[in-house]
Amino acid sequence: MYKSKYLNKVLREIKAKNKGQKEFISAVEEFFDSMDFVVDKDPRIEKFAILERITVPERIITMRVPWVDDKGKIRVNTGYRVEFNSAIGPYKGGMRFDKSVNLSILKFLGFEQTFKNSLTGLPMGGGKGGADFDPRGKSDGEIMRFCQSMMAELFRHIGPNTDVPAGDLGFGAREIGYMFGYYKKLRDEFTGVFTGKGMSYGGSLGRPEATGYGLLYFVEEMLREFKKTSIKGMKVIISGSGKVGGMAAAKAAELGAKLVAMSDIEGYVYDPNGLDVPYIVKKAKEKGMFSKDYAADHKGVEWHAGPHGMWSVPCDIALPCATQGEIHEADAKLLKKNGCFMLVEGANMPCDVEAIRYFNSNGVLFAPGKASNAGGVAVSGLEMSQNAIHLSWTFEEVDARLKQIMKDIFKKCHDTAVKYGQPTNIALGANIAGFEKVMDAMIAQGVC
Ligand code: 2IT
């Protein structure tokens, strides 16, 4: 129950209209926790029906994606693009290929992306897409035929000034290349319609590192503001061996942190003396996994089956970088009990709403992915800028801009949290600051 009657009414309606969409409803609830601080102070929100509008995607495209596998069998998947909000710029957000993909997950991600993109300060609206297609174990030929089949429909709906997809889970450089190539063929134009492109055809230096590096720049801002210290010597644990986790581990080590545990999909390794980060980064990049090999190649390290047990490892800082819904209230309690004083999300909503509420009311510093993992999409925005001016910047230039953007995001979140009397509640600051810009643009543009 919220203080605001209006908020309770809107949430009831959202729940009734989106039955069974638990990920989406949970994202809305987390956001409404923060809205409860503003709706009664700003009558424009109710007057212009901002919350009723902002929680409905502007457009959802669903497509049949038929393709032929290597044995000649015809297979069919469902593809989606959720164009959530274009108030401040063209729809922007990644594509996810995973068996679990459904409308609830893509709506949750598109909703979050709207505020994340707003926080970057760059002109990007929110979108997300993907398919319930599992790329694991598929040949390059199968992946290519799938991507081309999906693009044969998607090309009508996207464009450099309309909707600019990028990567996400299961959707990396290879998939972006196949999709970009087919878009170019169908449209006969070479434009920056995807970000995360390869360097030979318009990609940006620093994009692969951006989410993980940006995460650590955000962590440094949190530590500087709230603890008057840096990450040097801190015990860190990281979940997920994808691009975000790998790059976060590399940057954490570079900044002098001690990585004591890290997980992949099979399990986790724990060494209180600190893990061998270059080994992990290399293995994770090659195979997407590292933990079993790590345990075989290193003496005195513990390997545990299943990633979830890692949340019981004593640490100072936890960086969940795998996927949504991996930390629940019980994990949050365990983290706090074992000394964790700060959790910063590298993935999108790895913590459920109960875990977030627990952190905020029990003195554990918490930052939501929509602020702390925004470095990825921020450098996507920089890739769009470079494409638009037909130039490429150096790695150093991109990295310096990324660092400044992450500092600015932290400042916006913190200043807003202070303004609402909750100085350490970065989730509140992120939601309100991200929201205000989108709301202003929606009001200015009328009812549309
Ligand atoms: O969740 C995310 O922010 C992304 N997957 C990156 C989106 C993008 O457009 O670079």
Side-chain angles (χ1 to χ4, degrees):
M1 280 294 274
Y2 300 111
K3 290 196 302 279
S4 153
K5 270 205 200 114
Y6 164 62
L7 214 49
N8 285 313
K9 180 179 87 78
V10 178
L11 184 65
R12 250 193 331 271
E13 286 165 5
I14 291 171
K15 284 186 171 166
K17 281 191 202 153
N18 298 276
K19 283 217 163 63
Q21 299 197 349
K22 65 176 187 341
E23 293 86 359
F24 176 58
I25 290 169
S26 161
V28 171
E29 282 189 272
E30 191 277 326
F31 175 70
F32 277 15
D33 279 5
S34 306
M35 287 299 107
D36 210 14
F37 287 78
V38 276
V39 280
D40 289 338
K41 294 201 181 79
D42 189 341
R44 296 177 305 161
I45 301 175
E46 188 169 353
K47 178 174 172 206
F48 291 105
I50 297 295
L51 295 182
E52 290 90 330
R53 288 196 278 155
I54 215 167
T55 49
V56 181
E58 290 175 10
R59 187 180 300 110
I60 298 177
I61 300 139
T62 305
M63 62 208 96
R64 178 175 75 192
V65 188
W67 57 285
V68 180
D69 72 16
D70 285 347
K71 297 200 179 81
K73 191 169 158 358
I74 299 172
R75 316 261 294 252
V76 187
N77 288 87
T78 305
Y80 307 89
R81 187 73 188 161
V82 177
E83 297 184 332
F84 221 107
N85 193 299
S86 63
I88 66 170
Y91 309 106
K92 179 84 197 86
M95 299 281 279
R96 178 174 291 194
F97 279 177
D98 193 69
K99 274 200 297 257
S100 69
V101 163
N102 58 37
L103 216 42
S104 171
I105 290 179
L106 295 180
K107 278 169 65 184
F108 128 63
L109 291 165
F111 182 68
E112 293 275 297
Q113 196 81 43
T114 301
F115 306 111
K116 183 195 303 194
N117 294 2
S118 165
L119 284 170
T120 66
L122 301 171
M124 300 183 289
K128 201 84 188 187
D132 60 354
F133 169 77
D134 184 2
R136 267 173 293 207
K138 304 283 191 304
S139 70
D140 284 351
E142 289 176 321
I143 299 275
M144 183 176 76
R145 290 193 293 281
F146 185 86
C147 288
Q148 293 182 339
S149 176
M150 187 157 170
M151 186 51 84
E153 174 58 37
L154 195 61
F155 84 102
R156 280 177 248 280
H157 310 286
I158 62 175
N161 297 309
T162 312
D163 184 352
V164 183
D168 193 75
L169 297 183
F171 198 103
R174 176 178 58 170
E175 290 73 18
I176 291 169
Y178 292 150
M179 285 225 170
F180 177 85
Y182 215 59
Y183 177 88
K184 180 165 67 66
K185 184 180 169 76
L186 291 169
R187 281 272 173 120
D188 191 24
E189 58 183 36
F190 194 112
T191 57
V193 68
F194 266 84
T195 61
K197 298 185 292 298
M199 283 314 297
S200 54
Y201 63 99
S204 174
L205 288 167
R207 178 63 187 87
E209 294 84 0
T211 315
Y213 281 23
L215 179 71
L216 268 297
Y217 298 150
F218 198 91
V219 167
E220 286 283 62
E221 290 304 296
M222 298 265 290
L223 288 169
R224 193 183 46 74
E225 178 63 39
F226 297 123
K227 299 279 172 188
K228 309 281 173 264
T229 181
S230 82
I231 199 167
K232 203 159 190 245
M234 298 265 175
K235 289 192 294 249
V236 173
I237 63 175
I238 296 179
S239 70
S241 61
K243 239 176 10 211
V244 184
M247 293 302 167
K251 195 54 152 185
E254 189 192 313
L255 295 171
K258 193 201 269 187
L259 183 69
V260 292
M262 184 152 166
S263 66
D264 60 19
I265 202 162
E266 293 183 324
Y268 72 94
V269 283
Y270 172 50
D271 185 343
N273 297 314
L275 296 166
D276 171 358
V277 175
Y279 179 99
I280 293 177
V281 173
K282 186 164 172 282
K283 260 294 181 241
K285 204 167 174 184
E286 281 163 16
K287 294 177 68 174
M289 276 181 283
F290 68 92
S291 75
K292 273 188 175 159
D293 288 334
Y294 188 100
D297 289 345
H298 294 78
K299 279 202 187 69
V301 67
E302 288 177 25
W303 183 82
H304 298 265
H308 193 245
M310 192 184 71
W311 306 118
S312 64
V313 167
C315 69
D316 299 310
I317 299 172
L319 303 174
C321 297
T323 188
Q324 74 270 2
E326 50 164 341
I327 296 176
H328 309 282
E329 193 175 355
D331 307 309
K333 287 183 175 160
L334 209 52
L335 279 161
K336 156 106 184 156
K337 186 172 142 244
N338 290 321
C340 175
F341 70 85
M342 184 161 110
L343 184 142
V344 182
E345 293 184 338
N348 293 312
M349 275 201 97
C351 300
D352 69 14
V353 61
E354 289 80 20
I356 296 172
R357 287 174 186 155
Y358 178 83
F359 291 136
N360 280 328
S361 46
N362 288 276
V364 179
L365 291 166
F366 170 80
K370 64 170 78 79
S372 46
N373 77 26
V377 75
V379 173
S380 278
L382 301 181
E383 183 172 331
M384 289 164 73
S385 306
Q386 294 169 78
N387 292 163
I389 58 172
H390 303 278
L391 285 176
S392 352
W393 297 330
T394 61
F395 177 87
E396 289 68 26
E397 176 150 14
V398 173
D399 192 45
R401 286 178 189 261
L402 169 65
K403 200 179 255 174
Q404 190 57 49
I405 290 171
M406 298 314 294
K407 280 186 179 199
D408 293 345
I409 295 175
F410 176 75
K411 186 167 180 337
K412 267 182 229 174
C413 297
H414 183 238
D415 287 352
T416 307
V418 169
K419 183 172 153 201
Y420 285 89
Q422 312 281 318
T424 56
N425 192 339
I426 295 304
L428 178 95
N431 283 331
I432 297 177
F435 167 75
E436 278 175 341
K437 179 175 177 187
V438 178
M439 172 174 69
D440 283 350
M442 285 174 73
I443 293 172
Q445 292 168 27
V447 180
C448 60

